[in-house]
Amino acid sequence: MMTAHSARRTDAIPVVSAVRRDDDPVLAGITLRPGTDLARLSRFSDDRWDLMPAFFRENAPPSGADLNFAAIADPVQRLIAKEFIYARLHERLPGSRACLAATAANGTLLMLKRFMAFVAAGAGRVDLAEIDQAMLDGYLAALRAGGRRTAPAIANLLELPIALHRYGQFLTGGGIRFEPWKGRPAFKVAGCTHAQENTTLRIPEPVIAAMLHWSLKYVDCFADDILAAREEIDTLEARCTIMCAERSTQANLALLVRQRLAARVEVLRAAGRGMPVWSGGDRSHRTSPRINYPLLRLYAGCDNTSQITGSDPAMRLIIDALNELGPETGGMDTPISIDPDTGAPWRDRFDTSTLAHEEKMLQAACYVVCAYLSGMRDSEVQAMRTGCHIVERSADGMIERHRIRSVAYKWRGPRGAPEEWVTIAPVGRAVAVLERLAAPAQHQRGLDTLWLVLKLWGKTKDHVSSTIVRTLDEFRTHLDARYGLPGEPAVPNGPNGQP
């Protein structure tokens, strides 16, 4: 008896769409950002679709807006992918909750490519009409192999072949010809005991308690130093820019640089301080002091550090001062506050590298406080804007009520809807810190959202979006390295003994 696989179709599989025109706008009829140029929307025939005009959530990674069909070499698979994603974005079938969100399109495309790769490996090509239940059972077995995936994760992947049957009318070559698994829901086929919306385990209480403790400490004890250091650097850079512009009137730049360096050395000598050297980090493999030339450049009013390092008199002045005064880690002027728990400064003085790192750690701390003490989802936290914290008093004027205004997205459509969350005072303090921390990035990018990438140089995205996960991991690692003890990390490990 021949199976569907052995009795292969000999007719050509279509590679040109019979259901979509080449110039069909991919986002036609979908809610778009205000000001979107409709003439520039991606068309069905394009091999790369830009879905960014339909992205509203600040926590959605920009990379998810780029659907790259050109990466699918087989024209048959490419057509199936285009037609399927287009249909999922636009066609609402009976019994379904809604069309596919633009933010979920890339994830769906990845699942489709995985399924088609499995089919092609087994059948030699992808023809949805040739797929039978035995092949789908083989796909299920492959997903279960190794035990890496949970049953809910497998159920999510099984939704793909089921959808290829349901959306067959929108595919030129048709979809899977039969109802997979005789219509059983994917979560039952995968072996889930019950349908679950969220299978992510809760963070253990000792872990979140430690994260919250250190986050509040950053917000309440360390933030002022970090923000003051940023103001110091901004002031130095602005003054250096002015000095660089004025130097054209000076006859001897080398002499001027040396005089400014000598003046800085005198300030350090009078204060009983040392010459600025870099903190550890990626330079820690060196044992001799590493002069912080970028900081000295700001005091000397140079375009670049070579105007110092290339001058023998300037270098002799710096080396002599280092030998006399000794080194000082960091070298910035911002004083470091006393840690109330230890009675000692909470860190060495800042340099530009450690300042950028501590700003990122402060951002992570603000996120922990805002998310954990408000109960907001990530998308709701990352939709916070300047002025989102409101304090109201009760009618008798005795009780302060703290509220956060943001946007709720779940079941509220692509734009979301304004919403308020009742919270407590520490969240208000974290928002106040975050507003100051985000201000430079807001000014440079012309945005009022609070969760922006703080880096202001080089090519980078605007919003932290999904990178907040890595930032939180980095924050935990930072706390363990600075405040942990051997066998006793600052943030306890999880139940499996891992961070």
Side-chain angles (χ1 to χ4, degrees), residues 400-411:
E400 282 189 343
R401 291 192 175 92
H402 296 265
R403 297 178 183 271
I404 297 294
R405 287 177 179 168
S406 189
V407 180
Y409 286 100
K410 192 164 187 178
W411 313 128

Side-chain angles (χ1 to χ4, degrees), residues 43 365 450:
R43 307 289 164 164
L450 291 176

Side-chain angles (χ1 to χ4, degrees), residues 166-180:
R166 299 189 68 210
Y167 284 84
Q169 61 184 303
F170 305 109
L171 306 178
T172 295
I176 294 176
R177 298 295 195 260
F178 62 95
E179 194 167 26

Side-chain angles (χ1 to χ4, degrees), residues 191-434:
C192 299
T193 55
H194 55 85
Q196 294 178 319
E197 178 185 352
N198 190 346
T199 59
T200 303
L201 297 176
R202 290 181 178 272
I203 299 175
E205 184 63 29
V207 175
I208 190 61
M211 288 288 282
L212 182 61
H213 164 76
W214 287 108
S215 297
L216 288 171
K217 200 164 187 178
Y218 257 81
V219 169
D220 293 332
C221 301
F222 304 161
D224 283 344
D225 291 356
I226 297 170
L227 296 169
R230 174 52 57 192
E231 291 180 6
E232 177 187 344
I233 282 293
D234 289 345
T235 300
L236 285 174
E237 289 178 341
R239 190 181 71 173
C240 181
T241 299
I242 294 173
M243 288 192 293
C244 287
E246 292 176 345
R247 70 148 187 262
S248 59
T249 62
Q250 303 294 330
N252 192 334
L253 175 60
L255 175 61
L256 182 61
V257 166
R258 197 160 63 253
Q259 289 173 341
R260 290 169 178 167
L261 288 174
R264 178 59 182 171
V265 168
E266 186 54 41
V267 169
L268 296 175
R269 181 183 290 113
R273 294 171 56 188
M275 290 294 287
V277 299
W278 286 106
S279 304
D282 59 358
R283 302 173 180 84
S284 59
H285 63 284
R286 295 166 136 184
T287 57
S288 59
R290 291 84 61 200
I291 298 293
N292 189 343
Y293 291 110
L295 183 60
L296 292 177
R297 178 190 72 83
L298 297 179
Y299 285 103
C302 300
D303 288 319
N304 53 69
T305 58
S306 64
Q307 292 172 337
I308 297 176
T309 59
S311 168
D312 290 339
M315 288 300 296
R316 281 197 300 273
L317 186 155
I318 291 171
I319 298 302
D320 289 345
L322 178 63
N323 291 333
E324 175 196 349
L325 306 179
E328 178 186 81
T329 300
M332 291 177 58
D333 288 345
T334 299
I336 304 301
S337 299
I338 299 299
D339 185 333
D341 293 335
T342 66
W346 67 276
R347 61 155 297 117
D348 293 327
R349 288 181 183 267
F350 291 102
D351 57 41
T352 52
S353 178
T354 55
L355 172 58
H357 177 71
E358 289 289 11
E359 285 178 316
K360 193 175 182 182
M361 297 303 92
L362 179 58
Q363 186 181 57
C366 290
Y367 183 93
V368 171
V369 173
C370 290
Y372 185 63
L373 296 183
S374 71
M376 300 166 73
R377 295 181 176 89
D378 175 67
S379 59
E380 297 159 350
V381 172
Q382 294 207 37
M384 293 164 57
R385 285 173 161 72
T386 298
C388 65
H389 175 231
I390 310 145
V391 180
E392 299 174 338
R393 287 199 172 271
S394 57
D396 58 10
M398 299 297 293
I399 302 175
E400 282 189 343
R401 291 192 175 92
H402 296 265
R403 297 178 183 271
I404 297 294
R405 287 177 179 168
S406 189
V407 180
Y409 286 100
K410 192 164 187 178
W411 313 128
R412 304 294 185 90
R415 289 180 180 270
E419 189 59 87
E420 290 187 1
W421 286 260
V422 177
T423 185
I424 55 179
V427 175
R429 298 198 298 271
V431 171
V433 167
L434 188 61

Side-chain angles (χ1 to χ4, degrees), residues 138-154:
Y139 185 58
L140 173 59
L143 294 177
R144 286 174 170 165
R148 299 185 306 276
R149 295 184 178 91
T150 64
I154 292 173

